[in-house]
């Protein structure tokens, strides 16, 4: 047991950090252990592509900062479930446009915990709404023809009875 | 829109992913920035599918109805792997409309025979697992067709309700049609015959798991020949020949688990099976009276074999089966679930344990046999909590139902066992239940909500539920479109709303609105949900602030609608109680008047006082009592036939509960505030029943009856009736010995009205041959009444304070007299001008009534009393001061009258000063 990191007397092993670069050129440092929550990043680390800043051309700096924060929080040892639950609720309690970006980022980076959280929160917004209310909520134009409309109604009728 | 299909993220190579999505995302960013808002329909397909999977079927259908892209994605096969039709109406037309999406359906749950008939129209030829409940009416024909159309079926479960119409013929058909069958669990078949079992053994080589639960008869010999069996349950099955079993089943070469719970198995068979079977690892015998009753039985200790029973350590028994895991006791299930290594045979066995245990525990909870307290606290509750975390949805549901059931120890009085409820709470059960309640699966939602509701009868649990965010969750479930979910959630809110501290939180969580909406949503045909919603609103309406929220949410209209239209007594009772509570806030809010103005409200409540159900009559009378506080309501109740109805109610309630008696008398008290109603009550025969109620030992009853008689006695005709019906002794008795000061006071005032002379004039006017004798008998009554009124006044007159007050004019001395005489609740009484006038003229009466009148006016004008100012004004208008001064100064008047009159004068001065200050 010479100078291994497990010895308490030796200086702590520096945390292994990797650098991420957002679409708008900002760079972010994240601990490797936290980054491993992303399957996309995990693959890159496994293939030794993580020594230089990893470009993430479709995640804006504003969102990437939050994603790094999320991964770091979830990699923290010893956080009890209750605290984390509250933290998550706050994290996702933001403008809908940002939740949208969370979903895109989580999907691209393949972070299942973040994707679950973001989808759950969108689901929560949809629950109990009528199709018209959902359209309004998501700002969707109804592109169904009257015949399609009837067809859709018939197809989904079962769930309402 | 065709862009969408390109976006499915390829998982083959990472460079490709990055490069591929790069162009796309750039495109997206630009569009989203152009619009100034995000375009949600641009979400990658996978994420939309994930979004769908977070929703229940209704919400999925709504989301699918919004646009073409999402409609298309909603039909993705991965969203149609399994289907739970239990909450939905399912007929052939409906099933046909689903057929195109069910091509790859693997797993189906359904409810009831009608749905069973429709299953074939789903054309789900690839179905592997089918499970149904409420199957009492399923026929052999239906089941045979289902088996024939689903040849790939591997698992078939029907129960726990008894499949009374299924016979061995259908079992044979299943054997012929479904060669891949591995699991067959059927409940409540009358006779499972040998040829059917043999057919299963012959045609279903993979059949490893069989359950014939709660059957009347099973061919033991034939079962002993199904060599493929690994797991067998005959729980609850009767007429089992244990002699045959113990000599045959131990030869089953693969049998690992055997469940004989809830049977009459005895020690001999148990020992023999455990000892002689080579393969058997677990014998489960929960709730077996013969076995448990044998004091000499000792569990054979054989390595690698366990007996699970109420008297053994179930956790240890299961843990001992794991050779490689060092699990101790309670952690065995969690360790197994968390273990990364998969061990197929152990997994099968643990899943089987979960299934049979959830069944047996639920049955034990339902039957609630004596002597299991210790078992529930030490093993049952922890097991149920662990089963709630199972990966099998039906196990989770049964465990939640088990929790909801095992805490209830008395169905009728809805009382729960405190120790059991707190055991659930201690082991983290509240969090688990709330998590289940948040799941999108409605079966779990309703069972979890039911458990939360039942547990919340305990105040400590209710507090924990509120602290863990349960009120928000229940309020959101109360908005569910699924009636069962909404019903249980409303039940939860009902129980939580008992606690004062939760009422505001429920209103804040939108619970009031949700509950009112429930009433409109299920106004026809949802008795259970309506009763719970109305019950919760009733509790909430008892709080001043929440009652405003109830009214604001349209609750008055909703509750009146229930009172008018609903035929179910439980609902009527709660609706009437809610209206009573809404109207209970007097002047502090406008709900009292608002209820009366709702079309048909008063008529409906009057009608409900004639209900055959005592609870309904009681709450309706209570509502009318509270509503009669408002002058306009009072007269409207009378014109809606309220007098006749309430007199009739009073006449028939001699054997009813004190609650009903109190409210019947109370409502008559409320109505009798106007003299016209008083006269009507007397004419309809209300006097005699009120006298009877005044004789009640229950304080609340005789107090309200005394109030009503007091009001009635104002009218000389009624006064005479009271005398004739024998009311004097009853009132005298109350006046001298009731524990309630109010009852004594009002009885004294009633007697004072009766004998201040007006009745005599009335009796003389009605001259008949009997009048003389009447007057003679009146004299006796009068003497008795006056004597007791005097005694009553003396009870409230402290000699020493009087002497001091007589000697000095110091305010302190008078204040001391007031303190001694004051009757707190009398401050709530409100008198009309006529009544006040009558007391003023009584001041001139030479008898003890002079003191009595001064005593009454003192009570009515004490500063701080709710209506003191009102009374003071009436007295000023009537020129009372002059009469009071005369009384105070009269040489002949008794000391009490003089001092009381001086206090009243001071009270009047006080009010005058206050009101001039106010101006």
């Amino acid at each position: 047991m010479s100078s291994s990191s497990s010895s308490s007397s030796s200086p702590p092993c520096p945390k292994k950090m990797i650098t991420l670069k957002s679409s708008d050129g900002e760079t972010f440092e994240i601990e490797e252990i936290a980054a491993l929550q992303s399957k996309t990043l995990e693959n890159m680390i496994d293939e030794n592509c993580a020594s230089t800043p990893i470009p993430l051309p479709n995640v804006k700096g504003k969102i990437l900062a939050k994603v790094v924060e999320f991964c770091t929080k979830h990699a923290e040892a010893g956080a009890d479930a209750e605290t984390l639950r509250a933290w998550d609720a706050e994290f996702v309690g933001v403008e809908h446009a940002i939740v949208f970006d969370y979903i895109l980022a989580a999907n691209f980076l393949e972070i299942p915990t973040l994707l679950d959280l973001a989808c759950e929160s969108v689901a929560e917004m949809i629950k109990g709404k009528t199709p018209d209310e959902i359209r309004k909520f998501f700002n969707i134009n109804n592109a169904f023809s009257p015949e399609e409309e009837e067809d859709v109604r018939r197809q989904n009728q079962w769930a309402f009875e | 829109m065709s862009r969408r299909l390109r976006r499915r993220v390829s998982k083959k190579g990472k460079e490709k992913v990055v490069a591929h999505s790069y162009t796309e995302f750039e495109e997206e960013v630009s569009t989203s920035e152009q619009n100034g808002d995000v375009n949600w329909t641009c979400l990658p397909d996978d994420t939309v599918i994930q979004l769908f999977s977070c929703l229940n079927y209704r919400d999925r259908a709504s989301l699918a109805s919004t646009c073409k892209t999402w409609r298309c994605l909603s039909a993705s096969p991965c969203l149609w792997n399994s289907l739970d039709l239990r909450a939905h109406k399912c007929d052939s037309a409906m099933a046909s409309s689903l057929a195109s999406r069910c091509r790859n359906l693997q797993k189906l749950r359904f409810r009831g025979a009608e749905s069973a008939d429709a299953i074939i129209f789903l054309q789900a030829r690839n179905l592997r697992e089918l499970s149904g409940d409420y199957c009492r009416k399923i026929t052999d024909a239906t089941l045979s067709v289902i088996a024939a159309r689903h040849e790939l079926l591997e698992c078939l479960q029907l129960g726990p309700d008894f499949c009374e119409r299924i016979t061995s013929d259908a079992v044979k058909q299943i054997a012929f049609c479904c060669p891949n069958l591995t699991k067959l669990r059927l409940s409540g078949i009358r006779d499972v015959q040998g040829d059917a079992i043999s057919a299963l053994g012959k045609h279903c080589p993979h059949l490893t798991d069989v359950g014939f639960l709660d059957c009347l008869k099973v061919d033991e010999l034939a079962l002993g020949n199904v060599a493929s069996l690994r797991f067998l349950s005959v729980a609850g099955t009767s007429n089992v020949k244990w002699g045959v079993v113990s000599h045959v089943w131990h030869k089953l070469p693969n049998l690992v688990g055997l469940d004989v719970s809830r049977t009459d198995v005895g020690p001999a068979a148990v020992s023999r099976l455990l000892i002689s079977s080579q393969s058997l690892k677990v014998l489960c015998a929960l709730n077996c009276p013969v076995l448990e009753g044998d004091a000499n039985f000792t569990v054979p200790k054989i390595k690698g074999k366990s007996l699970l029973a109420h008297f053994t350590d179930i956790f240890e028994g299961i843990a001992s089966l794991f050779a490689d895991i060092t699990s101790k006791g309670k952690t065995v299930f969690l360790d197994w679930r968390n273990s990364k290594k998969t061990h197929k045979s152990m997994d099968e066995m643990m899943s089987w344990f979960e299934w049979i245990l959830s069944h047996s525990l639920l049955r034990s909870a339902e039957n609630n046999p004596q002597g299991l307290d210790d078992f529930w606290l030490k093993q049952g509750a922890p097991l149920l909590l662990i089963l709630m975390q199972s990966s099998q949805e039906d196990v989770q549901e049964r465990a939640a139902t088990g929790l909801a059931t095992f805490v209830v120890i008395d169905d009728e009085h809805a009382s729960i066992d405190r120790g059991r409820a707190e055991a659930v709470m201690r082991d983290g059960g509240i969090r688990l239940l709330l998590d289940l309640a948040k799941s999108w699966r409605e079966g779990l939602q309703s069972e979890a909500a039911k458990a939360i509701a039942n547990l919340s009868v305990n105040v400590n649990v209710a507090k924990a539920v509120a602290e863990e965010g349960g009120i928000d969750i229940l309020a959101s479930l109360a908005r569910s479109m699924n009636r069962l979910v909404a019903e249980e959630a409303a039940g939860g809110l009902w129980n939580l709303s008992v606690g004062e501290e939760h009422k505001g939180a429920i209103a804040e969580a939108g619970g009031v609105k949700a509950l009112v909406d429930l009433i409109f949503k299920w106004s026809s045909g949802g008795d259970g949900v309506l009763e719970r919603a109305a019950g919760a609103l009733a509790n909430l309406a008892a709080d001043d602030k929440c009652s405003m929220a109830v009214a604001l949410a349209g609750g008055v209209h909703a509750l009146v609608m229930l009172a008018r239209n609903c035929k179910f007594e439980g609902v009527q009772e709660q609706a009437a109680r809610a209206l009573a509570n809404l109207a209970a806030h007097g002047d502090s809010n406008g709900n009292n008047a608002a209820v009366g103005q709702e079309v048909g409200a008063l008529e409906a409540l009057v009608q409900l006082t004639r209900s055959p159900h005592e609870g309904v009559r009681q709450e309706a009378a209570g509502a009318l009592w509270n509503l009669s506080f408002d002058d306009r309501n009072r007269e409207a109740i009378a014109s809606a036939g309220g007098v006749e109805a309430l007199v009739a109610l009073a006449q028939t309630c001699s054997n009813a509960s004190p609650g009903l008696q109190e409210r019947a008398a109370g409502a008559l008290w409320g109505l009798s505030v106007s003299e016209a109603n008083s006269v009507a009550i007397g004419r309809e025969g209300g006097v005699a029943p009120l006298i009877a109620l005044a004789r009640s030992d229950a304080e609340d009853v005789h107090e309200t009856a005394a109030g009503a008689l007091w009001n009635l006695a104002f009218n000389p005709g009624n006064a005479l009736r009271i005398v004739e019906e024998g009311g004097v002794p009853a009132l005298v008795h109350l006046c001298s010995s009731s524990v309630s000061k109010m009852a004594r006071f009002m009885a004294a005032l009633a007697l004072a009205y009766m004998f201040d002379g007006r009745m005599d004039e009335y009796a003389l006017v009605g001259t008949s041959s009997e009048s003389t004798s009447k007057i003679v008998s009146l004299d006796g009554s009068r003497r008795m009444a006056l004597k007791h009124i005097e005694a009553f006044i003396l009870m409230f007159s402290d000699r020493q304070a009087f002497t001091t007050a007589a000697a000095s004019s110091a305010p302190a001395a008078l204040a001391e007299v007031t303190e001694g005489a004051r009757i707190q609740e009398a401050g709530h009484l409100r008198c009309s001008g006529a009544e006040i006038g009558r007391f003023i003229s009584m001041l001139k009466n030479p008898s003890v009534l002079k003191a009595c009148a001064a005593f009454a006016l003192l009570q009515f004008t004490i500063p701080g009393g709710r209506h003191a100012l009102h009374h003071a004004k009436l007295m000023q208008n009537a020129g009372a001061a002059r009469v009071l001064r005369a009384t105070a100064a009269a040489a002949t008047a008794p000391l009490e009258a003089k001092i009381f009159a001086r206090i009243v004068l001071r009270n009047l001065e006080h009010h005058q000063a206050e009101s001039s200050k106010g101006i």
Side-chain angles (χ1 to χ4, degrees), chain A residues 47 57-58 82 85 96 100 104 107 115-116 119 128-129 135 138 144 148 151 155-156 158-159 161, chain B residues 14 22 25 28 39-40 44 50 57-59 65-68 71 88-89 94 98 101 431 435:
Chain A
E47 293 172 27
N58 39 31
E82 204 56 40
R85 192 195 294 266
H96 301 161
F100 177 84
L104 293 183
N107 185 55
L115 189 57
D116 288 350
C119 284
K129 287 196 164 63
R135 278 192 201 114
F138 286 129
F144 290 127
E148 278 176 318
D151 202 31
Q155 193 179 33
N156 291 306
W158 72 279
E161 307 217 349
Chain B
K14 69 179 185 314
Y22 179 49
F25 274 78
E28 206 158 78
N39 181 358
W40 286 88
Q50 180 162 355
Y57 298 125
R58 281 184 193 81
D59 293 327
S65 309
T66 53
C67 65
K68 289 180 185 173
R71 181 188 177 196
H88 302 273
K89 186 183 149 223
M94 209 54 88
L98 288 172
R101 285 166 282 180
R431 184 76 262 162
D435 282 344

Side-chain angles (χ1 to χ4, degrees), chain B residues 93 129 159 167 175 232 256 406 432 462 554 661 665 667 687 690 733 746 780 791 807 852 857 893:
Chain B
E129 290 184 34
T167 71
L232 175 61
V256 174
F406 96 109
L432 287 173
Q661 294 180 334
V687 169
L690 283 168
H733 177 75
M746 293 189 295
C852 180
L857 290 170

